[in-house]
Amino acid sequence: MNLRTILLSVLIVCFAGPTYAVHDTDNYATEANAILMEKAGALYNKGKYAEARILMEEVLASGDTFYSKKCKEQLAAIKALEASRKKQSATVFTISQDTVKINRLGGDYPVHVTGENWSATVSGDDWCRIEVNRRKGLITIISSPNESTESRTAVITVRNGNGKRKNIEVISEGSPEILRCSAQNLVFTPDGETSIVDVDANTEWSLADVPGWLQAVKGQDEIQFTATANGDNRDRTANVKIETPSRQQIIINIIQGAALDSLAFSKNNLSFGADGGDEYIRVITDADEWRFGDFPHWCQLERIGNNTIKVHCTPNEPVDMPREASINVTTGRQTLGINVIQSPKPIVHLIPVDGIGGRYISYGFSVGYINPMVCAGSSSQNTFSPINYAQGNNLESVNYKSSGGLSVSVFADMRLYKNLYLNAGIDFMCYKYKNTVEGIFDVILPGTWQYYLRGNMNSEYKEEYTMSTVDIPILASYRFPLTRTSHLRINAGPVIGFGIKANLDLNGHSNSSSMRSYRIVNGQMTNQLYDQGLSTSNLYYQGALDMYSKNANLVFNTSDGGNGGADMSSTLEAAPYNRMNFGLQFGIGYEFMGISINLSYRWMFSNMGNRKFWDSDRWQLFNNATYLMNGYSQHNNLLMVEVGYTFRY
């Protein structure tokens, strides 16, 4: 008869009689003890043996002989059950894995142990050590980086209180073979010289294919090459190999030049006037053959006889610019050049010199179309928008696109000296741009205190930005008069920008029918499945962020609207944008009778991004781990076409 049968028999005997509600007053049973016995019986039936034992011991201590027999029998049964549980618990002894593979970078790797009174030891070199937490049933394996190309092994032995033993094999993968050198091309002079090439390798290496005229001395991490003098009239070459036992190799190309031929010219510099002409140059050399290389179309060469070059220069067009060229003559072992310079023709003076008409100080206004060109970058691998989608990959990379805008300006136009003007004004700018983020996101969603949801969600989000600024351009403007009432202009100067409004509107959704539940243990999210079921999540987000403040408003709804529009508003660490920015403006324009059209480019060289915001968590949308950026910068450059009127005449 086994232990389970004995315990069942004891249980039947203990509770087969009449209920504890019947009292025999002859044995001085009390109503208080009857209530205690009823509670003890209920706790026993629920498997709460320790609590039932306390109540029965209290009844025995009262001296009530009516319940003494029942209490003793019941306490004996509880003692047998607790001993059985303890024995069964002592036999449980498992480990989560018996082999752990660690990459060459090392790190921490957990192994879970189930059982009582267990211990763990590690055998191997100092690269592998362990930390034991018996309360959590956890062995943490700590591995240092493996700089060798060979893998290494250690064994962790786990023993429980019954003498059972389990082994965990720890394998640290070897580093990939490295073979690099500081130079793969060497050039030596004909007289010979020494050059050193540094070699970076984590394995043995050797040299091969070293010619007799070249000495190669192998050191610990360098090669010293020494070339003897070259007495031949031709260059010498070699391809020296650096090889490892695994047949990885690097080829160093080595060239040693030959002694130079003598080469000289009767003229080393030629100067031509604007109308061009011909010049003759005598070539003085002891080489058997010589030739000249490419030349520009306006400088034409012709060989005459064995030692003369005819140089013909065509007339220079009236571009008000000189022309320069170099004629290269080469033998088998030397190259020399002849410099050629041609003077320009002057520009015909078509522009009047008496300046443009009108007042010395004029006022005007203009309206225009703006095409924003948003340039964003960072020192991180990916550059993200103000919203942290918690992906940390190229799916989240920002790609701003223009939506256009308008400008309204008033300005003053002041003549400084002749045709040099100063144009200063106030511009009100309003423009929009957008960014779209879409793809399959890895998303973590809250569940209960016992589990959380995680899975891939088809996501699509649109960010729309609306910017309003007041800019103050101060431009130097030079005018090229065409008539007394028309001119061309070139403008350039600094711009100071003040931000009025910068709004970010967010709309998007994330949908999935395959979300899984994972356990939360001691308040920490784990990778253990909570159940085998799949969950469907359809989330719709709508939010707004004032880029000049810390306040972010976000509302999300589920597909069934069961949450009633959850409010996820938050206060950020800092405002994303700086209100004041600086830049430069360049442009050209045409004016006739005060009516003007201008094309301008406004380059903002100051960083409008507030590093305190961009280097932090930004505006988080999901519960995933935060991906941070470093060195963020943003410049909102503007291409503008403006039509205006100046009260000049």
Side-chain angles (χ1 to χ4, degrees):
M1 183 179 295
N2 56 27
L3 181 61
R4 181 178 296 178
T5 304
I6 295 172
L7 296 176
L8 182 59
S9 300
V10 172
L11 180 63
I12 293 173
V13 170
C14 293
F15 291 95
T19 62
Y20 294 115
V22 179
H23 311 300
D24 187 352
T25 55
D26 294 338
N27 294 320
Y28 56 91
T30 65
E31 184 176 354
N33 286 339
I35 295 173
L36 290 176
M37 288 300 293
E38 288 181 3
K39 290 183 179 179
L43 292 171
Y44 182 91
N45 292 335
K46 293 180 181 179
K48 300 181 179 180
Y49 304 129
E51 299 177 15
R53 184 178 66 248
I54 293 173
L55 296 180
M56 292 179 184
E57 289 175 349
E58 184 177 345
V59 172
L60 284 177
S62 68
D64 193 334
T65 60
F66 181 81
Y67 297 111
S68 61
K69 182 179 180 181
K70 291 291 185 180
C71 287
K72 292 177 181 178
E73 292 175 350
Q74 194 68 33
L75 288 172
I78 291 174
K79 183 177 181 181
L81 285 172
E82 289 180 338
S84 175
R85 279 187 176 180
K86 185 175 182 181
K87 180 178 180 181
Q88 187 176 9
S89 175
T91 62
V92 177
F93 180 43
T94 62
I95 57 176
S96 59
Q97 58 194 102
D98 57 9
T99 302
V100 176
K101 289 187 176 181
I102 302 175
N103 65 38
R104 63 183 180 85
L105 300 178
D108 298 349
Y109 298 84
V111 175
H112 297 275
V113 181
T114 303
E116 293 186 352
N117 299 325
W118 58 271
S119 61
T121 58
V122 60
S123 62
D125 296 332
D126 294 338
W127 63 269
C128 180
R129 59 187 182 89
I130 61 173
E131 292 181 355
V132 176
N133 189 330
R134 294 182 180 84
R135 184 176 62 83
K136 295 184 177 180
L138 180 66
I139 299 175
T140 302
I141 302 174
I142 304 171
S143 173
S144 62
N146 189 359
E147 298 179 355
S148 171
T149 59
E150 300 292 333
S151 62
R152 55 193 182 183
T153 305
V155 176
I156 298 174
T157 302
V158 185
R159 293 182 176 87
N160 74 346
N162 293 336
K164 293 183 179 180
R165 181 179 69 182
K166 294 181 182 294
N167 291 333
I168 304 171
E169 184 181 16
V170 182
I171 302 173
S172 175
E173 298 176 346
S175 298
E177 191 174 81
I178 297 174
L179 179 62
R180 295 187 291 258
C181 65
S182 59
Q184 292 183 246
N185 295 283
L186 295 178
V187 178
F188 291 99
T189 63
D191 297 332
E193 58 183 317
T194 298
S195 183
I196 296 177
V197 175
D198 296 325
V199 178
D200 180 15
N202 62 353
T203 184
E204 293 295 327
W205 53 274
S206 60
L207 297 174
D209 298 343
V210 181
W213 57 270
L214 183 67
Q215 296 179 357
V217 180
K218 178 180 179 296
Q220 181 68 26
D221 53 4
E222 64 180 24
I223 307 171
Q224 178 177 295
F225 290 102
T226 302
T228 60
N230 186 4
D232 298 334
N233 58 0
R234 284 179 289 185
D235 295 343
R236 299 193 293 199
T237 61
N239 297 314
V240 178
K241 296 179 181 177
I242 305 176
E243 296 180 331
T244 67
S246 64
R247 310 304 295 175
Q248 184 179 355
Q249 65 176 219
I250 296 175
I251 297 178
I252 301 177
N253 303 307
I254 300 175
I255 301 175
Q256 184 180 26
L260 299 177
D261 296 318
S262 63
L263 178 63
F265 307 115
S266 58
K267 297 179 180 179
N268 291 318
N269 296 283
L270 299 180
S271 296
F272 291 92
D275 296 329
D278 297 330
E279 288 281 354
Y280 294 87
I281 299 174
R282 187 162 59 90
V283 180
I284 305 170
T285 181
D286 60 358
D288 296 334
E289 186 57 53
W290 57 271
R291 63 185 182 278
F292 47 77
D294 297 334
F295 45 86
H297 68 90
W298 57 270
C299 185
Q300 302 168 4
L301 306 184
E302 179 183 356
R303 181 167 177 169
I304 300 176
N306 293 328
N307 61 353
T308 304
I309 300 175
K310 177 184 176 181
V311 181
H312 174 72
C313 185
T314 62
N316 196 353
E317 297 299 327
V319 295
D320 201 25
M321 293 182 64
R323 298 194 292 197
E324 297 183 3
S326 178
I327 301 171
N328 293 325
V329 177
T330 181
T331 65
R333 289 165 285 177
Q334 185 172 195
T335 299
L336 290 178
I338 303 169
N339 297 319
V340 181
I341 300 175
Q342 185 180 21
S343 302
K345 280 187 177 180
I347 296 178
V348 178
H349 294 288
L350 299 176
I351 301 175
V353 296
D354 56 349
I356 64 176
R359 303 182 181 92
Y360 275 80
I361 300 179
S362 305
Y363 302 95
F365 66 90
S366 65
V367 295
Y369 172 77
I370 303 173
N371 182 53
M373 300 178 179
V374 181
C375 299
S378 69
S379 57
S380 300
Q381 184 176 2
N382 295 295
T383 301
F384 306 132
S385 72
I387 300 175
N388 191 339
Y389 296 94
Q391 302 304 303
N393 53 35
N394 56 2
L395 289 178
E396 197 179 343
S397 295
V398 71
N399 183 20
Y400 292 120
K401 294 183 179 179
S402 171
S403 295
L406 297 174
S407 68
V408 178
S409 307
V410 293
F411 57 84
D413 198 42
M414 297 168 281
R415 188 197 302 267
L416 298 179
Y417 177 75
K418 292 186 178 180
N419 294 335
L420 180 63
Y421 283 71
L422 178 67
N423 187 285
I426 299 177
D427 300 345
F428 176 76
M429 323 289 287
C430 183
Y431 57 90
K432 295 184 177 182
Y433 56 94
K434 59 187 178 181
N435 178 47
T436 301
V437 179
E438 57 185 356
I440 299 177
F441 287 2
D442 177 20
V443 177
I444 294 177
L445 299 176
T448 68
W449 65 273
Q450 294 178 316
Y451 69 89
Y452 68 96
L453 297 177
R454 184 168 189 169
N456 292 330
M457 305 189 76
N458 293 318
S459 304
E460 183 177 354
Y461 293 89
K462 180 180 291 186
E463 306 167 6
E464 295 184 347
Y465 299 81
T466 302
M467 302 290 297
S468 297
T469 64
V470 172
D471 294 356
I472 301 177
I474 304 174
L475 308 177
S477 178
Y478 189 81
R479 315 293 166 84
F480 297 91
L482 303 178
T483 67
R484 291 291 297 176
T485 56
S486 64
H487 65 267
L488 296 174
R489 65 177 67 170
I490 298 177
N491 305 322
V495 177
I496 303 174
F498 300 90
I500 299 177
K501 181 179 72 173
N503 290 342
L504 164 57
D505 294 321
L506 172 68
N507 285 281
H509 61 85
S510 293
N511 305 317
S512 176
S513 60
S514 59
M515 302 291 285
R516 289 189 177 274
S517 302
Y518 294 87
R519 294 183 183 277
I520 297 177
V521 179
N522 296 328
Q524 300 295 322
M525 294 187 293
T526 71
N527 293 326
Q528 301 176 10
L529 286 174
Y530 182 78
D531 55 37
Q532 298 298 325
L534 297 176
S535 301
T536 298
S537 295
N538 298 297
L539 305 178
Y540 299 88
Y541 289 86
Q542 185 176 9
L545 170 62
D546 183 355
M547 303 292 279
Y548 291 136
S549 76
K550 303 179 182 180
N551 298 321
N553 300 316
L554 180 65
V555 176
F556 81 94
N557 290 276
T558 58
S559 58
D560 57 6
N563 61 345
D567 187 359
M568 297 175 61
S569 301
S570 59
T571 301
L572 306 176
E573 186 173 349
Y577 286 167
N578 298 316
R579 285 188 181 271
M580 180 175 291
N581 292 279
F582 303 91
L584 295 174
Q585 179 171 319
F586 312 91
I588 58 175
Y590 171 76
E591 180 181 319
F592 174 74
M593 293 293 294
I595 301 173
S596 61
I597 181 170
N598 298 281
L599 176 64
S600 304
Y601 181 75
R602 188 165 292 179
W603 171 55
M604 305 305 291
F605 56 78
S606 65
N607 182 9
M608 67 183 297
N610 186 348
R611 289 283 180 83
K612 188 176 181 181
F613 168 83
W614 293 96
D615 290 350
S616 65
D617 295 341
R618 309 194 311 281
W619 186 15
Q620 283 192 270
L621 206 61
F622 301 117
N623 293 340
N624 296 41
T626 303
Y627 292 89
L628 302 180
M629 256 188 323
N630 292 317
Y632 179 85
S633 64
Q634 180 174 334
H635 307 274
N636 286 7
N637 305 321
L638 307 177
L639 181 64
M640 300 179 292
V641 178
E642 299 173 290
V643 177
Y645 183 78
T646 305
F647 299 93
R648 192 182 305 280
Y649 300 98

